[in-house]
Amino acid sequence: MALSSPSLLSARSVHHLLNPHFLSPRSRRGGGGSKCSRWDFSRLSRRSLAVAAAAVNGVFTSPEIAKSFDFTSEERIYNWWESQGFFKPNFNSCGDPFVISMPPPNVTGSLHMGHAMFVTLEDIMVRYQRMRGRPTLWVPGTDHAGIATQLVVERMLAAEGIKRISMNRDEFIGRVWEWKEKYGGVITTQIRRLGASCDWTRERFTLDEQLSRAVVEAFIRLHEKGLIYQGSYMVNWSPSLQTAVSDLEVEYSEEPGTLYYIKYRVAGGSRDDYLTIATTRPETLFGDTAVAVHPEDDRYSKYIGRMAIVPMTFGRHVPIIPDRNVDKDFGTGVLKISPGHDHNDYALARKLGLPILNVMNKDGTLNEVAGLYSGMNRFDARKKLWSELEETGLAVKKEPHCLRVPRSQRGGEIIEPLVSKQWFVIMEPLAEKALQAVDNGELTILPERFQKIYNHWLSNIKDWCISRQLWWGHRIPVWYVEGKDCEEDYIVARNHEDALQQARKKYGEGVEIYQDPDVLDTWFSSALWPFSTLGWPDLSAEDLKKFYPTTVLETGHDILFFWVARMVMMGIEFTGTIPFSYIYLHGLIRDSQGRKMSKTLGNVIDPIDTMKEYGTDALRFSLSLGTAGQDLNLSTERLASNKAFINKLWNAGKFILQNLPSQDNVSAWENILAYKFDTEESLLKLPLPECWVVSELHELIDVVTSSYEKFFFGDVGRETYDFFWGDFADWYIEASKARLYHAEGDSVASVSQAVLIYAFENILKMLHPFMPFVTEELWQALPCRKEALIVSPWPRTSLPKHTSSVKKFENLQSLIRAIRNARAEYSVEPAKRISASVVANKDVLQYISVSFLSFNVIILMFFQHFQHTKSPFCDAQQSIHLVSGEGLEAYLPLADMVDVSSEVQRLSKRISKMQAEYDALTARLSSSKFVEKAPEEVVRGVREKAAEAEEKLTLTKNRLALLQATISLPI
């Protein structure tokens, strides 16, 4: 169907591009022998009429009027798809629904290459399954991103001179919602730009009313089962954000720091009785409750059981204890135990019953436990403390030391281990079911190697701290009673009214309650995403009944624990089944050198800029050619190459359209449409080039379909690319020109025209999930399109292939390649024609005598005299002999290809130079001094160069010998 704006075309162009059978009166009344009545308007579906309307409205552009694919048309095509409802699940389709829940990007986000990767891969899956005929649903949405969004809004307010603490909670939340309504749609707009065929009518936000109801319900159910509790434990604390952060949200970086050596005197001992402790955080010594040494460390065994005096604490004593976990070789072999400020110390203190001292306020300043240092910033206190230790003689030394520094993933500040009262989920019983789901094969992780990582994490899982000291997010559904102990008397309820009713029932009518100020970890709501977006906890919700459990969860391997494993646990817990059957994990996007993209390195590739320069399809295709779970190196060279591929695809479409019969040539179209390719009988009737390309196409359809089903998307892209460029464009299109340009009558050309259309439309179908825009544009330009490509049926599999014809054609290809290589080897000018004699046995002659007519264009380009016979027409001893195989060979007279005398002189000079280079390399290798003393990689490099030089020298000598033999032969 033509999809060009009529205003851009001449009357003839429109007539040529629009299907003639839409316009022909003979077609509509079924007369004239037309076989295209299936394209009558009277029998078109709604979607077919939509395609026709798209042509009239100028949604698409044909290759006949455009030199190349115009990237600016992508938005028009996308809007048209969406307006026609193609993104919604079609229940006229058969099979089980195919469902993906989009990993919800942060509402604060803007598109980066990680987003581009997941959108591309998920859209490939969705478009493929849609074409396979399954009801297909891709649920989009965004995450409220508690910490990130609060940070953004606080910075915005700070620019206005407003601090959050000067506002009440409701005022601040109101400003966040205002920001969300204004800026929160940026990321989804950009995701649309990538071609994501999501059902946007089902777009969700984690703070939507229904999803918030699901969060409250999940909390209550977990609490009722005893899986949620409140307690004071060691957490990762962000002083500037004033909230706990997850272990998974702490990033460790190697940074230069300092190791401080401090004297701890032994109580009751002489001035020489002291222990030297090495620490990277001297300010935490105010929270020391013990000093530990290894029980078998002879240096300190005499002090075990005695007391040490903590410096700068006015003589506070702590016990010196033995512990086998102390590393005797690190620092001085003495460890200070500060249970309130170190995860390992905290665990040890709980095991031994040591007291836990907290010396730090939640804003990162020291508290009253630090005495005179109270109120000081932790880093300022460190400097002052060291200065005063030096003054008192308790400072031994300090030295540079590489530190493993914990930093907040969101704010970037150094995290402080701190004991804090928080809400936790007991994870072990939930993790056990999630492990079983993988063990029994219900859940498949791709690639498989991540299963070991998944199992290890779940087998060693810790309780999950789910409370955050923020204002933006899902408020914890817990209420406290005024005047009662918060840890003992609290009420879990779905809302304030329900909580007040419970409180009055227990404490009387005059009771007053207030809600817990904390919110839930963002990942808590995200863990419910696959089923909360479909209507849970309402089990009667239509979407939940139709689309749950979902099919695939696709995301980056870096959030396997943040999100994926938690969804598995919550899905099983609340629905009784796994939330998806497959977990597909992609790798990270790196630059061309394999480095992580960062603003510091200046190597960030922006997807929006990339789409503007190279087009969305080129970006998508570049991102899709990787391997599951492997990081992908992205370069401008790869993008440019794939942009060239799109241009090649466009030009192929232009060639096909320009070589189709005019629309008023009914008999020619009847001939074209009469060809069928779905039976072995119909295949065998085709000439060899057509039989070959259709057989190869059918093989490709089977291979590609199998790879799609196995999630081998990189293989799909490479296989289809190779077939289109290497077989269809480079070989079949060239072969078709013989019939198209030199045929006598429509019936001769029609077979090539039919095969060109058949092969090209199937190529477009297989590439559509990767390159949706250009393939839809080309599809709509082809004649006889009944429906949009996005909803067209997938190519049939298990179609016939004729192996014998494939082998025959490959034999011819091999010969032509050999001729091309020989011309290149002897530097024959492209425009120069030579003679050739192709020699074949009787069986091969039978098919090449006919088939070589298909290569008239190539033959005329290469040769001034060409024949195929049982014996060469030229002197074999004065020719280059090429063997193709299967009884097929060729002789190319040297005299036609080069000036033999001049070439002999040139090669002789070249050999002298090459020999000198080779001799120099072998001389270096024969020197024992060089071989023994030079670095191994240098010696290896010289050996490789020598081997390469020897090979080139041998080949050149052989060529010279052949030419010299030619000169010496009698004429």
Side-chain angles (χ1 to χ4, degrees):
M1 182 79 191
L3 297 152
S4 305
S5 170
S7 63
L8 299 176
L9 302 173
S10 66
R12 186 202 174 279
S13 298
V14 173
H15 185 233
H16 178 71
L17 287 172
L18 287 172
N19 188 303
H21 305 286
F22 280 141
L23 308 175
S24 168
R26 296 176 64 190
S27 169
R28 285 195 290 273
R29 62 174 182 266
S34 173
K35 299 181 180 180
C36 295
S37 60
R38 63 183 180 276
W39 291 311
D40 288 352
F41 273 121
S42 61
R43 303 179 66 176
L44 289 177
S45 66
R46 180 181 63 81
R47 291 190 175 189
S48 302
L49 291 171
V51 175
V56 176
N57 294 332
V59 177
F60 298 92
T61 305
S62 168
E64 286 200 315
I65 63 169
K67 184 178 180 180
S68 61
F69 177 57
D70 182 4
F71 305 147
T72 62
S73 66
E74 292 172 351
E75 185 176 359
R76 292 199 311 274
I77 296 171
Y78 187 89
N79 291 338
W80 179 72
W81 282 329
E82 188 174 4
S83 71
Q84 300 305 311
F86 293 148
F87 298 163
K88 297 178 182 179
N90 177 15
F91 280 95
N92 294 325
S93 306
C94 59
D96 295 330
F98 180 86
V99 186
I100 292 184
S101 299
M102 175 185 288
N106 287 353
V107 72
T108 58
S110 59
L111 198 70
H112 57 64
M113 279 300 173
H115 296 128
M117 173 69 92
F118 88 67
V119 170
T120 295
L121 291 173
E122 291 174 28
D123 199 41
I124 286 172
M125 298 182 201
V126 166
R127 288 178 184 267
Y128 166 71
Q129 294 294 344
R130 185 184 289 123
M131 295 174 76
R132 291 289 282 176
R134 295 176 67 175
T136 305
L137 174 62
W138 186 10
V139 181
T142 49
D143 190 283
H144 65 278
I147 293 175
T149 304
Q150 183 155 321
L151 270 175
V152 167
V153 176
E154 284 192 26
R155 288 168 183 163
M156 179 190 72
L157 292 172
E160 299 175 13
I162 302 172
K163 292 185 177 181
R164 176 172 64 92
I165 56 174
S166 67
M167 309 170 70
N168 63 41
R169 187 173 192 139
D170 290 340
E171 289 172 340
F172 178 77
I173 295 300
R175 291 298 300 269
V176 181
W177 277 109
E178 287 177 13
W179 179 92
K180 191 266 180 187
E181 292 305 314
K182 187 173 182 179
Y183 301 106
V186 170
I187 185 67
T188 53
T189 300
Q190 293 172 331
I191 286 174
R192 288 170 180 265
R193 179 78 175 78
L194 280 162
S197 56
C198 311
D199 184 354
W200 293 103
T201 65
R202 288 177 164 89
E203 183 180 358
R204 302 290 183 257
F205 178 55
T206 48
L207 282 177
D208 285 347
E209 182 178 351
Q210 192 275 316
L211 273 70
S212 296
R213 186 164 68 91
V215 169
V216 172
E217 188 66 27
F219 185 97
I220 290 173
R221 293 190 187 187
L222 289 173
H223 186 268
E224 288 174 348
K225 291 187 70 173
L227 294 176
I228 285 184
Y229 66 93
Q230 186 183 41
S232 293
Y233 297 94
M234 175 71 70
V235 296
N236 300 298
W237 187 261
S238 173
S240 66
L241 295 173
Q242 291 280 288
T243 183
V245 295
S246 165
D247 291 346
L248 302 175
E249 293 172 307
V250 177
E251 294 180 340
Y252 290 86
S253 59
E254 301 294 328
E255 300 177 20
T258 305
L259 193 59
Y260 300 89
Y261 292 80
I262 304 170
K263 290 182 181 179
Y264 279 54
R265 299 194 184 280
V266 178
S270 66
R271 295 184 61 86
D272 295 330
D273 288 322
Y274 60 84
L275 301 174
T276 300
I277 291 176
T279 179
T280 59
R281 296 193 301 159
E283 70 278 6
T284 62
L285 63 78
F286 298 106
D288 290 353
T289 58
V291 172
V293 297
H294 195 281
E296 297 174 2
D297 192 334
D298 294 336
R299 294 172 296 175
Y300 310 118
S301 58
K302 62 182 178 180
Y303 296 124
I304 294 175
R306 299 179 65 177
M307 303 293 284
I309 303 172
V310 181
M312 313 305 292
T313 59
F314 304 102
R316 186 166 63 85
H317 289 29
V318 295
I320 302 171
I321 62 174
D323 186 74
R324 293 187 175 275
N325 292 317
V326 176
D327 184 352
K328 292 188 292 183
D329 299 321
F330 175 77
T332 61
V334 184
L335 184 68
K336 60 190 284 300
I337 308 299
S338 309
H341 302 279
D342 183 273
H343 288 283
N344 293 327
D345 292 359
Y346 178 77
L348 180 63
R350 287 176 62 86
K351 181 178 72 174
L352 300 178
L354 295 173
I356 297 172
L357 284 179
N358 175 25
V359 304
M360 200 165 296
N361 299 313
K362 291 187 175 180
D363 61 358
T365 61
L366 301 191
N367 61 24
E368 65 279 359
V369 176
L372 297 177
Y373 296 87
S374 176
M376 293 188 67
N377 174 276
R378 52 183 167 160
F379 303 116
D380 293 336
R382 180 181 301 174
K383 294 177 183 178
K384 181 180 179 183
L385 176 61
W386 181 251
S387 175
E388 294 188 357
L389 285 170
E390 287 180 317
E391 291 177 4
T392 57
L394 295 177
V396 178
K397 64 176 179 177
K398 64 178 181 179
E399 60 187 20
H401 180 69
C402 185
L403 303 179
R404 188 166 179 264
V405 180
R407 290 190 177 273
S408 168
Q409 190 183 62
R410 298 299 179 193
E413 69 169 332
I414 295 177
I415 290 297
E416 191 67 39
L418 207 64
V419 175
S420 175
K421 187 173 74 172
Q422 303 288 342
W423 289 94
F424 296 85
V425 176
I426 299 173
M427 301 300 290
E428 192 172 341
L430 302 175
E432 186 177 349
K433 295 176 183 178
L435 285 166
Q436 290 174 357
V438 173
D439 290 341
N440 62 25
E442 291 181 82
L443 181 61
T444 302
I445 300 176
L446 302 170
E448 187 178 350
R449 70 177 185 275
F450 284 102
Q451 181 177 329
K452 292 182 180 179
I453 302 172
Y454 173 93
N455 289 343
H456 177 77
W457 186 73
L458 287 178
S459 298
N460 297 277
I461 199 166
K462 299 177 181 179
D463 289 355
W464 176 14
C465 174
I466 58 170
S467 48
R468 298 291 181 265
Q469 289 65 54
L470 303 170
W471 282 356
W472 173 248
H474 294 101
R475 191 90 171 261
I476 289 179
V478 169
W479 282 260
Y480 303 107
V481 178
E482 290 282 4
K484 300 291 183 179
D485 187 331
C486 293
E487 294 190 16
E488 297 294 332
D489 294 282
Y490 63 82
I491 298 166
V492 177
R494 288 173 175 79
N495 51 56
H496 183 274
E497 290 73 20
D498 184 22
L500 185 58
Q501 187 176 355
Q502 291 185 48
R504 286 173 176 171
K505 186 175 180 180
K506 185 174 181 180
Y507 298 103
E509 287 296 320
V511 68
E512 293 186 10
I513 62 173
Y514 60 97
Q515 190 172 358
D516 192 306
D518 291 351
V519 299
L520 288 164
D521 179 11
T522 302
W523 295 105
F524 188 90
S525 54
S526 299
L528 315 178
W529 186 252
F531 47 95
S532 65
T533 53
L534 298 175
W536 188 89
D538 180 4
L539 301 182
S540 64
E542 284 299 312
D543 277 3
L544 190 66
K545 291 191 290 184
K546 288 179 180 177
F547 300 119
Y548 188 84
T550 65
T551 313
V552 180
L553 186 284
E554 191 285 331
T555 191
H557 65 70
D558 54 331
I559 58 172
L560 178 58
F561 309 128
F562 277 100
W563 187 45
V564 181
R566 287 170 175 169
M567 280 189 291
V568 176
M569 289 185 279
M570 294 300 185
I572 296 172
E573 174 65 23
F574 294 121
T575 71
T577 185
I578 52 172
F580 28 75
S581 301
Y582 297 93
I583 298 170
Y584 182 98
L585 302 171
H586 67 251
L588 305 178
I589 309 296
R590 298 184 179 274
D591 70 6
S592 58
Q593 300 177 44
R595 300 175 301 176
K596 189 174 181 179
M597 291 187 184
S598 71
K599 293 179 181 179
T600 304
L601 293 174
N603 62 347
V604 175
I605 301 178
D606 183 271
I608 300 297
D609 293 340
T610 301
M611 287 186 282
K612 290 178 182 177
E613 183 174 357
Y614 299 98
T616 301
D617 290 326
L619 173 60
R620 286 172 58 119
F621 199 67
S622 300
L623 294 175
S624 65
L625 295 183
T627 303
Q630 297 286 353
D631 291 354
L632 177 73
N633 294 356
L634 184 63
S635 64
T636 54
E637 291 78 15
R638 176 177 290 192
L639 291 163
S641 174
N642 289 324
K643 181 181 179 182
F645 175 52
I646 291 169
N647 193 52
K648 185 83 169 179
L649 201 65
W650 188 261
N651 287 335
K654 185 189 296 288
F655 171 83
I656 293 168
L657 289 170
Q658 289 174 343
N659 286 282
L660 294 178
S662 62
Q663 300 296 326
D664 55 2
N665 192 340
V666 176
S667 62
W669 278 100
E670 288 177 345
N671 287 334
I672 292 172
L673 296 168
Y675 284 99
K676 306 296 178 186
F677 309 101
D678 56 351
T679 66
E680 189 171 351
E681 181 182 3
S682 63
L683 202 59
L684 290 174
K685 291 180 181 178
L686 297 174
L688 179 61
E690 282 70 26
C691 186
W692 163 76
V693 78
V694 172
S695 295
E696 290 288 73
L697 174 69
H698 290 171
E699 177 65 23
L700 176 72
I701 292 170
D702 289 348
V703 170
V704 160
T705 303
S706 176
S707 293
Y708 266 116
E709 294 294 331
K710 295 175 183 176
F711 301 92
F712 294 168
F713 304 120
D715 291 349
V716 172
R718 285 184 289 272
E719 292 281 356
T720 312
Y721 179 102
D722 291 344
F723 173 81
F724 167 74
W725 200 305
D727 292 341
F728 183 74
D730 284 359
W731 286 96
Y732 182 67
I733 283 182
E734 291 302 319
S736 72
K737 291 176 181 178
R739 270 183 275 280
L740 295 172
Y741 294 169
H742 307 292
E744 296 181 2
D746 292 338
S747 60
V748 177
S750 62
V751 63
S752 287
Q753 292 165 333
V755 169
L756 283 168
I757 293 174
Y758 176 70
F760 194 60
E761 69 181 8
N762 280 290
I763 289 168
L764 294 179
K765 285 184 177 184
M766 287 182 281
L767 281 175
H768 177 72
F770 289 77
M771 300 176 162
F773 294 108
V774 69
T775 53
E776 186 74 77
E777 187 98 290
L778 288 166
W779 173 268
Q780 301 288 2
L782 294 175
C784 306
R785 300 303 96 186
K786 294 193 298 178
E787 56 196 347
L789 178 56
I790 187 176
V791 291
S792 66
W794 186 253
R796 285 176 54 192
T797 56
S798 302
L799 290 169
K801 305 116 184 170
H802 195 242
T803 307
S804 175
S805 295
V806 170
K807 289 182 178 178
K808 289 176 181 178
F809 194 84
E810 287 175 348
N811 205 17
L812 295 175
Q813 285 179 303
S814 177
L815 179 62
I816 292 173
R817 288 193 186 101
I819 293 171
R820 284 172 169 166
N821 291 340
R823 289 175 60 95
E825 186 177 351
Y826 283 89
S827 303
V828 179
E829 295 179 2
K832 183 177 181 180
R833 295 182 182 182
I834 63 173
S835 299
S837 178
V838 175
V839 181
N841 61 38
K842 181 180 178 180
D843 293 336
V844 176
L845 277 176
Q846 288 180 349
Y847 69 81
I848 69 167
S849 60
V850 177
S851 300
F852 256 108
L853 295 175
S854 301
F855 292 99
N856 275 347
V857 176
I858 299 174
I859 292 168
L860 291 172
M861 184 187 303
F862 281 170
F863 307 116
Q864 60 182 352
H865 181 72
F866 182 85
Q867 72 171 20
H868 41 82
T869 179
K870 293 181 180 179
S871 60
F873 69 84
C874 55
D875 191 330
Q877 291 181 299
Q878 299 183 43
S879 304
I880 298 172
H881 183 206
L882 306 174
V883 179
S884 173
E886 291 193 17
L888 183 60
E889 50 193 311
Y891 293 85
L892 310 180
L894 276 167
D896 279 4
M897 300 181 69
V898 295
D899 181 328
V900 177
S901 298
S902 298
E903 185 69 3
V904 166
Q905 293 178 14
R906 188 184 72 82
L907 290 180
S908 298
K909 292 179 181 179
R910 185 179 178 189
I911 287 172
S912 297
K913 183 179 179 181
M914 294 171 69
Q915 186 69 54
E917 293 173 353
Y918 175 68
D919 291 343
L921 291 169
T922 54
R924 291 185 73 187
L925 292 172
S926 62
S927 169
S928 58
K929 184 177 181 181
F930 169 73
V931 174
E932 293 172 4
K933 294 187 176 181
E936 183 180 346
E937 61 271 17
V938 173
V939 176
R940 183 169 59 250
V942 173
R943 286 200 177 103
E944 290 173 356
K945 288 180 180 178
E948 183 180 353
E950 183 180 22
E951 183 180 358
K952 290 181 178 179
L953 183 61
T954 301
L955 290 173
T956 308
K957 285 180 176 179
N958 290 341
R959 188 184 302 175
L960 177 62
L962 175 61
L963 293 172
Q964 288 172 331
T966 302
I967 295 173
S968 64
L969 288 171
I971 300 175

